[in-house]
Amino acid sequence: MDHSPVRELPEILQSVSSPGRFSVFGATEIFLPRIDVDGVGPVALPLLPEQADRLAAVSSPAPYGLGERTLVDTRVRNSGQIDPSRIRIFGKHWPKDLDRILTRVAEGLGVEDAIEADFYKMLVYEKGGFFVDHRDTEKAPGMFATLVIVLPSSFSGGELVVRHKGEETVHDLHGTDPSEVAFAAFYADCVHEVRPVTSGCRLALIYNLIKPGGGRNGSPPDYVREKNRMVRLLKDWSSSPDPAKLIYPLDHAYTPAGLSLSGLKGRDAAAAKLLSAAALESDCDLHLALVTIEESGSASHAGYGRSRWDEEDYDDYDVDEIFDRSALLSDWQGPDGSRPSFGSMPFKESELCPPECFDDLEEYETSFQEATGNAGASFERTYSSAAFVLWPKTRRVDILSSEGLAVGLPSLSELVVRWERGGSSPDSHEKREALALAKRLTSTWPTGWFPRITTNRTDASEMLSLLIRLGDASLMEAFLGALASSKRYEESDNVFILKLFGRIPAENVARGIEEVIAQNALRVPEACNSLLSLSADAVKKNSGTDGRLSVLSPPLRAIVRLLLDSSEPISAEGNTAKIVSILLESAERIGLPSSEEVLDRVLARSDRYTPDQALVPAALLLLGSPKTKNTPSTLRLARFCLEFLRNRTSRPLSPPSDWSRPSSIACRCNLCLELSRFLHSSDEPVARFKLPGDGRTHLEHSIRTNPCDLEVKTEKVSRPYSLVCTKNQATYDQKVQQRESDLKNLAKIEKGLGTSPD
């Protein structure tokens, strides 16, 4: 016998044929029958108060059994009963409605044989009516259970309580609609009681449930031997590293909305009962999930000579080769009806019970694509099933973290929420597990690109938020280092990084910020700049003084080294004006290096920080801020820009006096030499180059890559077509626009420095 868990688990479960609950209840809409009672007449439903009084008046006190005696004692049982001989139930739909109830009862009680309902009596429970703990006696051959159908009426209390082998269920048999009846059934050997009715009248029809032909099934199957065997199996498996989890497919098909332990059918319900009990005793987690397997690859038509367009045979194909295959678990549900946030979790074939259980699975969805052009025929197909998923609780953190952030991060969030709802005890199981999962996610945080898991903020922000809520300083520090090396830091993460000040030592936060800057400043310079600037405010807020700002000197030196001294390129997304302004502002507050030294380095990098793109806009930004308008570095930068603008605006500016235009054409081919000659000509406004397509394309490329004062169009009069080049004064127009902008900026800077004539 193969004792591996993937073989033995299905062997045990397949021996279970029914769910076998000791009681079952439910509610259903019916066509209300006509009920006639001697002495009362037709009973209106929902029950009217005056008819309730009349039913109580014609009823007799209900007795109870004590050994072989039948007694009446209102201290034990306080209700009225009406004999079935005095009651007639009519209605063409009533037999079908009763059969539907019996079908649900049989399935819930785990009875596979046919059953019949023998009408026993009507019970009338007025306010104060009850029945203490008791067991039913066998009232007819083959009786094995009792069915209670509570008719529509207005009442409160009167719950039916059923107990069996240490378990208890409480059935509230109130219909929620005037056309709805509530019902409950339980095995005859179960102890049960009716709690006191606190208002109104509870009117019930009582039936003896019988197996035709006699026989007796006094209690549901308990599968004790099977459960004990499964407990041993799961405990042995818990100490083995492989497989990590067990996946047992269900017999029936379920939709994501309809997948729940309480809604399972037939043998699935029986397996659920056994697995739930065994998982609890063996300290394992049990979940329901949907299994989806998707495959795609190359294919060909099955058979020979089949029409390419034969619709009936469109999906009749042979698989040649499978290129891609994914196997995922999703739509999770816990035993308590909760919806764990595990997302889509991959699984291995070796975790299936047994591993070949999907070999004959019916395809859920299939598509076949005919060959087109150079592409061969292909197929895509999907298999779907519901399944039980088991893993030892001791392996939970390993499983949730091993599947990456898509599973681990939502699971950590769920643990933190559960811990907070439980009172946020520092020693709770939820917190210990959350910390263990957070530590694992931190140590395995992805280092390259990966898709974002959360939607409203980055995964790093989500992780930082959860760590702050957990309050573990060492994990906060460790994650800041992991974030730095991951190269997935974004500016929106800053708000959570800044929350670390006051929670862990400022020196440690600063060290983490230095690492973030060192890894990311060239990629996202504005984000790193902003982080450094805002950190100064955070340090001041948490220390109450600017004296502690020196802790930010190392990250300041790091960002200066990268953005001002490094020869590596800065991301094109960087706004150099903002970079300069924030750098000078940060240096002014933090020091080491000083803002004067930072400005020296900025001015020395004219290749990276040009007057037009960086220096002038930065000076305007700094002059416009009350915090920086009068700092030495701002005033010095502003004076530098003032001199630059005055020098450029003092140069004479006039439009071209003839048709000669500057040429920067680098190519020295004959066509481009002729183009340069045309540009230098003082009396030629237009030139036509009658050329084949490749010649025209070459000239257009030269003009596009070496800006010229030319407008170009293709003239399609005769072949070969002509490339018509018409001179304009674009260079002069640009200088005019530049002059206007320079004069405006000059006035703003003069005003900011207080040197404006105004």
Side-chain angles (χ1 to χ4, degrees), residues 618-632:
L620 293 173
L621 286 171
L622 292 165
L623 286 171
S625 170
K627 292 192 299 184
T628 57
K629 62 180 299 183
N630 294 316
T631 62

Side-chain angles (χ1 to χ4, degrees), residues 442 445 463-464 467 473-486 489 493-494 496-498 500-501 504-517 519-520 531:
T442 297
W445 196 258
M463 185 69 173
L464 279 166
L467 293 177
S474 62
L475 271 178
M476 296 180 206
E477 292 181 29
F479 181 73
L480 198 51
L483 173 60
S485 60
S486 74
Y489 155 76
D493 298 330
N494 288 352
F496 295 97
I497 294 175
L498 296 172
L500 299 181
F501 285 106
I504 59 179
E507 294 82 359
N508 297 349
V509 184
R511 190 179 305 115
I513 291 174
E514 181 182 2
E515 293 179 20
V516 170
I517 287 172
Q519 295 290 339
N520 297 280
L531 175 60

Side-chain angles (χ1 to χ4, degrees), residues 487-541:
K487 298 183 180 179
R488 282 288 294 168
Y489 155 76
E490 297 181 25
E491 186 167 5
S492 58
D493 298 330
N494 288 352
V495 64
F496 295 97
I497 294 175
L498 296 172
K499 289 182 179 180
L500 299 181
F501 285 106
R503 291 178 168 85
I504 59 179
E507 294 82 359
N508 297 349
V509 184
R511 190 179 305 115
I513 291 174
E514 181 182 2
E515 293 179 20
V516 170
I517 287 172
Q519 295 290 339
N520 297 280
L522 294 173
R523 182 179 63 84
V524 281
E526 290 181 46
C528 291
N529 241 338
S530 177
L531 175 60
L532 182 60
S533 176
L534 294 171
S535 294
D537 295 326
V539 169
K540 181 179 179 181
K541 176 182 177 182

Side-chain angles (χ1 to χ4, degrees), residues 688-693 696-697 700 712-724:
R688 283 176 170 80
F689 296 88
K690 198 173 184 63
L691 298 168
R696 297 194 308 275
T697 300
E700 286 185 289
V712 180
K713 69 177 182 178
T714 300
E715 187 177 73
K716 300 180 180 180
V717 176
S718 62
R719 293 187 180 276
Y721 296 152
S722 296
L723 188 69
V724 181

Side-chain angles (χ1 to χ4, degrees), residues 301-322:
H301 267 305
Y304 175 79
R306 200 164 267 153
S307 168
R308 176 184 178 92
W309 307 111
D310 190 339
E311 291 291 338
E312 293 183 358
D313 295 329
Y314 189 68
D315 287 334
D316 192 3
Y317 65 91
D318 290 327
V319 172
D320 295 333
E321 187 175 358
I322 296 175

Side-chain angles (χ1 to χ4, degrees), residues 30-66:
I30 66 170
F31 290 93
L32 292 177
R34 174 178 173 177
I35 302 177
D36 284 351
V37 178
D38 291 348
V40 177
V43 177
L45 295 176
L47 184 64
L48 300 175
E50 55 269 22
Q51 283 200 318
D53 292 340
R54 292 175 63 189
L55 287 169
V58 301
S59 67
S60 58
Y64 68 95
L66 182 62

